[in-house]
Amino acid sequence: MLTRPFTRLVVAFGQRRVPPRRLVEEAILGTLILIPFGFLMGLIASRLCTKIKFKRIRSDIWTTIVVFCIGDILMEWLLPSLSCLPIVEEDSDEYYYTARWLFQSYGMFCPPDFPSSTTLLSPDATAILFSLRLVFLCLGVHLGESLCFVALTGGIATGKSTVGRLLVEYNYTNTSSASTSNKRKPKKAASSNAATSASQNGDDYKEGTVSLICADSIAHEILLPPSVLAHKNDSGDDDEVSKPSYTVQPRDSVYDLLVAAFEGHDILAPDETIDRVKMGAIVFRDPEKRRRMNKITHPRIFSLLLSKLVQKALFSSHDLVVADIPLLFESGKLSWLFAITICVVTDPKTQFERLQKRNPELSRQECEDRMSSQLPLEKKQKLADYVIDNSGNLDELSGQVEEVRRDIMGRLYGIGMSLLQMLLLIGGSTSIAVSSKFYSHLQE
């Protein structure tokens, strides 16, 4: 290993106890150092698993190898780091919170004459501090692994919404052939009907469930006037069909900014809301006006999207958090946020026909303008981790979606053990062995 403490055996124990002040210091250092460090390790592990591919190595095997290697390195450092814990006189008034004290606290520096029976920790003290550090480290790793988002993108009218619907529909299907491996946590049913149906069929939990966030929905809602958002969100009426609720708050609206930016242009509907068809006709013909609109809307969409992604990742029971973002690569600021990107493509002729069928109010020129305003599908394919071809029928598309979902699960969870689970398993076993004096018997 790279530092001196790693050359010392982990079975070296002494008689030193842990004062209460040291426990407070460990709690503060764990919050300021171990949690961010664990968060970084979790992010690195997830990115190594998702961004590096080998043709001859299965995705779940590669993920397991990465998790094992990183987990082993962390465990090799965590326990020996306690063998050089600095000693400070209780009645000393000297300020000792220095860089040397910090490095020595985590085993990165150790005086050559330090180890002795009075300076080395007792097995009980070692177990206490090791368990405390393990908790903070695992908390950071959990946060880093949880923020492993999946982006669904593609060209206009290529079928992104259909792919997203197929991913979500899997949450409510009850198939006897559904795999039950690779589970990191129990899955709660997304609705009472789905839970009842699943329990009746014997399939209590499923892997690969998806929580979908649509960036288009956010983009549409922030165009509404604040008064409309406030009225809909705060309405106490029972008529949910005529008065739908929105996911954005009135303070998130960009209505006033857009009306001021496009003053003199006819962008309002008869009900004084922004007419997206009129707005689209203006911005898709004029790149300057499109940049002006994007400068107003994109920062707000990004902040709301990031907030929803974090909420879903930390509090949702689903395995995958997927964001449907049509302009992922065009934005230039969102790609780094996602560990995995899925691109839905189709041939240009089919794309044009679907766009005309979906938006019959658009002329042929307007359809071509909207298609040309985005990156070519060929470039998007090269930037994506997975490509789904939606040129065929629905059954073919469903098969591709299922294959991608299984491979993503393998890349994220390996053969069923995440980095967090490995640290808890090995670290917990080590803590029990230390506290039970197992290593002390070896030392004797």
Side-chain angles (χ1 to χ4, degrees):
M1 288 297 182
L2 299 178
T3 57
R4 182 179 178 83
F6 291 112
T7 64
R8 214 174 283 107
L9 294 176
V10 297
V11 296
F13 297 109
Q15 303 174 356
R16 182 180 168 193
R17 303 296 179 180
V18 180
R21 180 172 182 173
R22 185 65 208 185
L23 295 177
V24 176
E25 293 170 349
E26 286 292 332
I28 297 175
L29 289 177
T31 303
L32 299 179
I33 295 179
L34 285 182
I35 291 181
F37 178 70
F39 177 79
L40 181 62
M41 290 296 101
L43 281 181
I44 291 176
S46 63
R47 292 308 189 267
L48 288 176
C49 295
T50 56
K51 293 301 183 181
I52 299 179
K53 298 181 180 180
F54 297 96
K55 294 182 179 180
R56 297 187 179 182
I57 301 179
R58 282 171 38 188
S59 58
D60 54 347
I61 300 298
W62 167 246
T63 297
T64 303
I65 293 174
V66 172
V67 166
F68 177 81
C69 292
I70 295 181
D72 180 67
I73 292 173
L74 292 177
M75 286 296 98
E76 286 286 343
W77 161 74
L78 194 60
L79 184 59
S81 68
L82 294 169
S83 60
C84 277
L85 209 63
I87 299 177
V88 179
E89 299 296 335
E90 292 293 333
D91 55 351
S92 175
D93 296 332
E94 183 181 356
Y95 182 81
Y96 60 92
Y97 294 121
T98 61
R100 176 174 176 174
W101 173 86
L102 180 62
F103 291 148
Q104 190 172 345
S105 294
Y106 285 102
M108 307 307 294
F109 166 78
C110 189
D113 57 344
F114 184 84
S116 68
S117 60
T118 58
T119 57
L120 293 175
L121 295 172
S122 66
D124 290 336
T126 301
I128 292 173
L129 292 184
F130 176 78
S131 300
L132 188 60
R133 291 186 175 187
L134 182 65
V135 168
F136 286 108
L137 181 64
C138 288
L139 181 58
V141 169
H142 173 62
L143 294 175
E145 285 188 317
S146 297
L147 303 183
C148 192
F149 308 127
V150 180
L152 176 63
T153 188
I156 186 173
T158 56
K160 300 181 298 299
S161 299
T162 303
V163 173
R165 176 172 56 82
L166 291 173
L167 287 171
V168 174
E169 281 182 354
Y170 176 81
N171 301 355
Y172 311 105
T173 58
N174 301 306
T175 57
S176 58
S177 60
S179 173
T180 57
S181 61
N182 294 346
K183 291 189 182 73
R184 183 178 63 171
K185 55 187 176 182
K187 316 298 183 298
K188 300 177 182 177
S191 67
S192 58
N193 294 335
T196 304
S197 178
S199 60
Q200 291 175 352
N201 289 276
D203 296 329
D204 293 332
Y205 304 115
K206 299 178 64 176
E207 68 161 350
T209 55
V210 171
S211 179
L212 183 65
I213 301 172
C214 183
D216 265 351
S217 298
I218 298 175
H220 295 167
E221 291 179 10
I222 64 175
L223 298 181
L224 295 173
S227 58
V228 175
L229 294 175
H231 177 69
K232 298 294 185 178
N233 286 333
D234 299 337
S235 176
D237 298 341
D238 295 332
D239 188 1
E240 296 183 359
V241 176
S242 61
K243 295 182 180 297
S245 60
Y246 295 106
T247 59
V248 303
Q249 299 299 319
R251 64 177 179 273
D252 300 320
S253 173
V254 296
Y255 174 85
D256 295 330
L257 296 176
L258 286 177
V259 171
F262 287 87
E263 186 177 1
H265 296 277
D266 181 19
I267 63 172
L268 298 181
D271 59 356
E272 295 300 319
T273 61
I274 293 178
D275 190 322
R276 291 188 286 112
V277 175
K278 294 180 179 179
M279 174 71 77
I282 295 174
V283 299
F284 285 112
R285 285 198 308 262
D286 190 335
E288 179 59 33
K289 290 184 173 61
R290 185 164 67 248
R291 283 191 292 269
R292 186 192 309 173
M293 182 192 69
N294 291 340
K295 187 177 180 180
I296 297 174
T297 59
H298 281 186
R300 193 66 52 87
I301 295 173
F302 175 77
S303 62
L304 292 172
L305 180 65
L306 181 60
S307 174
K308 294 180 183 298
L309 285 171
V310 173
Q311 291 178 13
K312 293 288 186 180
L314 297 181
F315 304 110
S316 172
S317 60
H318 299 297
D319 288 310
L320 305 176
V321 179
V322 180
D324 183 352
I325 308 178
L327 302 179
L328 174 68
F329 300 122
E330 288 85 347
S331 66
K333 299 179 181 179
L334 293 175
S335 300
W336 62 269
L337 187 61
F338 296 92
I340 298 173
T341 55
I342 306 172
C343 183
V344 184
V345 300
T346 187
D347 60 272
K349 181 180 178 182
T350 303
Q351 181 184 12
F352 183 81
E353 292 175 352
R354 289 175 178 172
L355 180 57
Q356 282 192 319
K357 183 178 180 180
R358 190 189 72 180
N359 299 96
E361 73 279 2
L362 299 178
S363 65
R364 182 181 183 87
Q365 183 60 43
E366 288 176 328
C367 290
E368 293 176 351
D369 290 340
R370 298 197 176 203
M371 291 175 58
S372 61
S373 67
Q374 299 182 355
L375 280 179
L377 292 179
E378 293 79 8
K379 291 185 178 181
K380 291 190 176 186
Q381 292 184 58
K382 296 179 181 179
L383 296 173
D385 299 305
Y386 296 93
V387 177
I388 296 178
D389 188 355
N390 189 22
S391 300
N393 55 43
L394 187 60
D395 290 336
E396 295 175 348
L397 178 64
S398 180
Q400 293 183 69
V401 171
E402 176 63 16
E403 182 179 353
V404 168
R405 185 193 63 80
R406 287 198 302 265
D407 194 73
I408 291 177
M409 285 298 297
R411 291 202 170 275
L412 293 181
Y413 301 122
I415 60 174
M417 179 174 290
S418 65
L419 179 58
L420 172 66
Q421 288 177 323
M422 182 180 180
L423 292 177
L424 290 175
L425 178 63
I426 300 178
S429 302
T430 303
S431 180
I432 293 174
V434 171
S435 61
S436 64
K437 312 298 191 298
F438 174 77
Y439 287 125
S440 297
H441 294 302
L442 293 181
Q443 185 178 1
E444 294 175 359

